């Protein structure tokens, strides 16, 4: 997750998602990887919306919501996932 966060902070969301996917494969029961993937998809959605590409933006929003749901299902008390999904 740490290398994924580094990529996220650089704005390289595709690389960050790949790192978070690797972390999820190592421990699929931790909610953080899914949460961070959801955050990446939200940032990508924001970019697409600014570019007036609403279809791609909404698709990324759907992916983000799915990842936040996945994080919540992994750990129902994970409030970040609940807050992320409400955005």
């Amino acid at each position: 997750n740490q290398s994924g966060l580094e990529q996220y902070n650089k704005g390289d969301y595709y690389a960050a998602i790949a790192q978070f996917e690797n972390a999820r494969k190592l421990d699929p029961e931790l909610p953080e990887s899914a949460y961070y993937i959801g955050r990446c998809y939200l940032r990508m959605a924001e970019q697409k919306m600014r570019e007036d590409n609403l279809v791609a933006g909404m698709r990324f929003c759907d992916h983000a919501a799915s990842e936040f749901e996945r994080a919540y299902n992994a750990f129902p008390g994970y409030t970040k996932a609940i807050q992320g999904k409400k955005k």
Side-chain angles (χ1 to χ4, degrees), residues 1-15:
N1 282 335
Q2 186 61 39
S3 61
L5 285 172
E6 291 169 9
Q7 296 301 318
Y8 177 86
N9 290 330
K10 291 179 185 176
D12 190 356
Y13 303 118
Y14 288 104

Side-chain angles (χ1 to χ4, degrees), residues 41 44-46 48-49 53-62:
Y41 281 127
M44 293 162 58
E46 289 172 354
K48 292 299 180 187
M49 296 290 191
N53 188 344
L54 300 179
V55 173
M58 292 305 294
R59 186 177 59 234
F60 285 135
C61 285
D62 288 341

Side-chain angles (χ1 to χ4, degrees), residues 16-28:
I17 288 171
Q19 293 298 322
F20 294 132
E21 289 284 354
N22 287 335
R24 178 167 33 205
K25 287 177 188 172
L26 294 174
D27 194 348

